Amino acid sequence: MKIVNVIDAPCGYGKTSWAIQYMNSLPKESHQFIYVTPFLDEVQRVKESVTTRKFYKPETKKGETKLGDLHKLLGQGRDICTTHALFQMATSETIELLKANRYTLIMDEVLNVIEQIPLKKSDLKLLLEANAVDIVTRENRLQYIQWNEQKIDYNTRYNSIKEVALTNNLMYCDNSALIWNFPCGVFSSFQDVFILTYLFKGQIQKSYYDLHGIKYRYLSVVKEEYDYELVPYNMRKKHDKQNLIEKIEIYEGQLNDVGDLTSALSKSWFINPKKKDLILKLKNNARNYLMNICKAIGEDVIWTTIKGEKEKIQKQVSPRGYSKAFLAMTARATNDFRDRYILAYLVNRYLNPIQKKFFEQYDVKIDEHTWALSELIQWIWRSRIRDDKSIKIYIPSRRMRELFKSYLEDDHFEKAPDNAIVDEPPSDWNL
């Protein structure tokens, strides 16, 4: 398994600029790239910024899917720019094509590398008793769901489960759930892998690498005159937290009372029928903060909460007059809101308990506080703080607010994981 290179640096430090410079600097005859980003507008940006080679975007064509077009482009050795959503569909055919053409992967932000497959516990028991599936243990004690080959032709309501199981990427979780696992062989199929992110220590993808024994080198990026260079993480440029403290005004006052309890504003809190009055109070508090304290108009604002079933919770919480200023709490890598400076973060982030249990059953630890903080920071940095301009923010959850304040006060969240490689030089990547 190759060592993955994690370029860990705050927004605005030049991660994407380094990637564009790197792709522009290498001869197209000897290097092929796949650049993977969350959004289509970033695909276009990279296509326009890399001028020494032509990037192709997989398209749905007559009689051919996007994945089929991706495979055709891989077979032709093209430079490719695509989205996370398509990259997640990688198959064994994708892996073979990558190996044959010695690609380099540059991934902007982490990928959703595991997902829970909806299935009732009784349904799983039924499949086991019918001998349709079996639980097999593979490398590193990892347990997978294997479909009985003698029953491949069966046409049942469990066809979707069968299809995932037949890819050998369906894992078993603590007698109660099934987890789709991104095929880790994809990462070993590249000549080099670069992940552009921040606070990787708290990301699910970091735990996924630990689970599969994939080693990762921690790097950062610095600007030297006109060029960007990779440096070992222990030589990184430290984040200027004092500047952030001066630019970010965090609301402190009685409107925060609704979020005092550790569990307040979590998903379980929102779906609890007994919290109906508190949800109304949160809605009114948010409107009070935006309208009366900040005197904000809709074009100044972004706010978020959990969407919930059919967006019911989002509608319950939506501050009157600001519904169109909603930005999903999972938003990443978008510049569409970089002029906004009045923020309301009306949620308390916790890991999905099934995902947490999945890793813990294999003794893989997840830094849940760093994960929650990284989700908050990614969302905040959609605003104009990314351009070093001042913002105001309402974070009624005491837990989330204290995590963010702790982050601003020191750099303990930014320390590399104990098992990361931090002192190796970045070879010949600075060209």
Side-chain angles (χ1 to χ4, degrees):
M1 178 63 70
K2 295 185 182 298
I3 296 176
V4 171
N5 302 291
V6 177
I7 305 176
D8 195 303
C11 178
Y13 270 47
K15 299 187 293 291
T16 304
S17 297
W18 170 83
I20 291 170
Q21 171 189 295
Y22 183 57
M23 291 186 287
N24 270 323
S25 68
L26 293 176
K28 60 182 179 180
E29 296 79 14
S30 59
H31 292 77
Q32 286 75 45
F33 288 95
I34 296 182
Y35 192 94
V36 181
T37 183
F39 297 108
L40 285 171
D41 58 351
E42 287 296 299
V43 169
Q44 189 60 34
R45 175 191 172 196
V46 170
K47 288 180 66 177
E48 294 173 355
S49 300
V50 181
T51 57
T52 61
R53 59 182 67 231
K54 182 177 180 179
F55 272 87
Y56 292 79
K57 180 180 72 172
E59 302 280 4
T60 301
K61 299 178 181 177
K62 187 175 181 180
E64 190 172 51
T65 63
K66 277 189 179 182
L67 183 60
D69 193 35
L70 171 63
H71 288 163
K72 179 188 291 185
L73 293 170
L74 287 173
Q76 295 169 347
R78 304 292 191 185
D79 291 297
I80 299 166
C81 194
T82 188
T83 61
H84 282 195
L86 180 58
F87 192 71
Q88 280 181 276
M89 298 169 66
T91 65
S92 57
E93 182 180 355
T94 316
I95 292 174
E96 292 306 313
L97 289 166
L98 289 170
K99 288 179 178 178
N101 289 282
R102 294 176 58 79
Y103 274 90
T104 292
L105 171 66
I106 299 182
M107 181 180 291
D108 185 12
E109 297 300 345
V110 293
L111 194 70
N112 290 330
V113 287
I114 67 165
E115 289 182 4
Q116 184 179 350
I117 302 295
L119 188 71
K120 295 179 180 178
K121 188 175 181 179
S122 56
D123 284 340
L124 178 56
K125 182 179 179 182
L126 181 66
L127 288 170
L128 288 166
E129 291 176 348
N131 197 31
V133 301
D134 194 12
I135 300 170
V136 297
T137 302
R138 299 178 188 164
E139 69 284 352
N140 301 328
R141 302 184 296 111
L142 304 185
Q143 292 184 308
Y144 288 79
I145 296 293
Q146 180 174 287
W147 195 271
N148 187 336
E149 291 186 2
Q150 296 179 351
K151 300 185 178 183
I152 287 178
D153 294 332
Y154 282 27
N155 185 15
T156 72
R157 65 173 179 162
Y158 300 110
N159 282 352
S160 60
I161 301 296
K162 178 179 69 174
E163 290 171 5
V164 180
L166 290 173
T167 67
N168 295 315
N169 296 312
L170 188 60
M171 298 187 70
Y172 184 57
C173 179
D174 196 41
N175 299 314
S176 60
L178 301 181
I179 300 291
W180 168 81
N181 171 83
F182 182 78
C184 62
V186 171
F187 292 105
S188 61
S189 302
F190 288 95
Q191 184 173 348
D192 277 309
V193 176
F194 299 93
I195 312 293
L196 316 180
T197 190
Y198 183 46
L199 295 179
F200 183 74
K201 181 172 67 173
Q203 304 296 341
I204 294 291
Q205 192 163 329
K206 181 265 184 190
S207 299
Y208 162 91
Y209 284 163
D210 291 342
L211 179 71
H212 291 286
I214 300 174
K215 295 182 179 180
Y216 40 91
R217 178 185 291 109
Y218 247 49
L219 303 167
S220 193
V221 62
V222 296
K223 188 175 183 181
E224 297 290 347
E225 295 186 3
Y226 302 106
D227 293 328
Y228 293 88
E229 293 188 3
L230 296 186
V231 296
Y233 192 71
N234 56 9
M235 295 173 58
R236 71 193 183 278
K237 176 185 175 184
K238 295 292 184 69
H239 208 171
D240 185 356
K241 299 294 183 65
Q242 185 57 44
N243 177 60
L244 288 179
I245 291 171
E246 294 171 359
K247 292 286 195 309
I248 300 174
E249 180 182 315
I250 304 172
Y251 171 79
E252 300 284 0
Q254 62 181 10
L255 298 181
N256 286 330
D257 293 350
V258 69
D260 277 350
L261 296 179
T262 303
S263 61
L265 279 67
S266 65
K267 183 175 181 179
S268 60
W269 184 89
F270 277 111
I271 63 178
N272 186 343
K274 296 181 180 179
K275 305 298 183 183
K276 186 176 180 180
D277 291 343
L278 288 175
I279 292 174
L280 178 60
K281 181 179 180 181
L282 175 66
K283 175 189 180 82
N284 291 334
N285 284 0
R287 185 170 187 269
N288 189 357
Y289 173 77
L290 297 173
M291 179 170 287
N292 297 326
I293 294 177
C294 296
K295 313 295 184 185
I297 59 175
E299 290 75 13
D300 300 333
V301 172
I302 51 173
W303 68 275
T304 199
T305 191
I306 67 172
K307 284 191 174 182
E309 185 178 357
K310 297 181 180 178
E311 302 185 352
K312 179 181 178 182
I313 294 172
Q314 178 188 337
K315 292 177 181 177
Q316 286 179 328
V317 178
S318 179
R320 186 159 54 89
Y322 299 96
S323 60
K324 294 182 179 180
F326 178 82
L327 175 62
M329 63 185 183
T330 54
R332 292 175 180 267
T334 176
N335 297 318
D336 293 346
F337 301 89
R338 67 187 308 158
D339 59 336
R340 308 297 175 97
Y341 66 98
I342 307 294
L343 288 65
Y345 193 81
L346 313 179
V347 64
N348 183 6
R349 302 298 304 277
Y350 284 95
L351 282 165
N352 179 308
I354 294 295
Q355 293 183 344
K356 186 177 180 181
K357 184 184 293 185
F358 170 70
F359 286 108
E360 288 178 344
Q361 74 179 4
Y362 296 113
D363 300 321
V364 174
K365 295 181 180 180
I366 297 182
D367 188 338
E368 190 165 13
H369 286 328
T370 304
W371 175 83
L373 174 66
S374 68
E375 292 291 301
L376 170 61
I377 288 174
Q378 283 285 351
W379 187 84
I380 290 175
W381 257 255
R382 300 312 102 209
S383 72
R384 75 178 190 181
I385 191 65
R386 64 189 294 114
D387 294 321
D388 199 33
K389 296 179 180 179
S390 62
I391 62 169
K392 299 179 180 181
I393 186 166
Y394 173 49
I395 312 176
S397 163
R398 178 193 290 267
R399 172 177 171 264
M400 297 301 297
R401 189 169 64 254
E402 290 184 349
L403 282 173
F404 188 50
K405 289 163 67 175
S406 178
Y407 162 79
L408 293 175
E409 290 165 3
D410 59 51
D411 65 352
H412 69 276
F413 283 108
E414 296 169 286
K415 292 180 180 178
D418 293 338
N419 53 347
I421 301 169
V422 297
D423 56 356
E424 285 192 10
S427 186
D428 60 347
W429 301 324
N430 297 315
L431 301 176

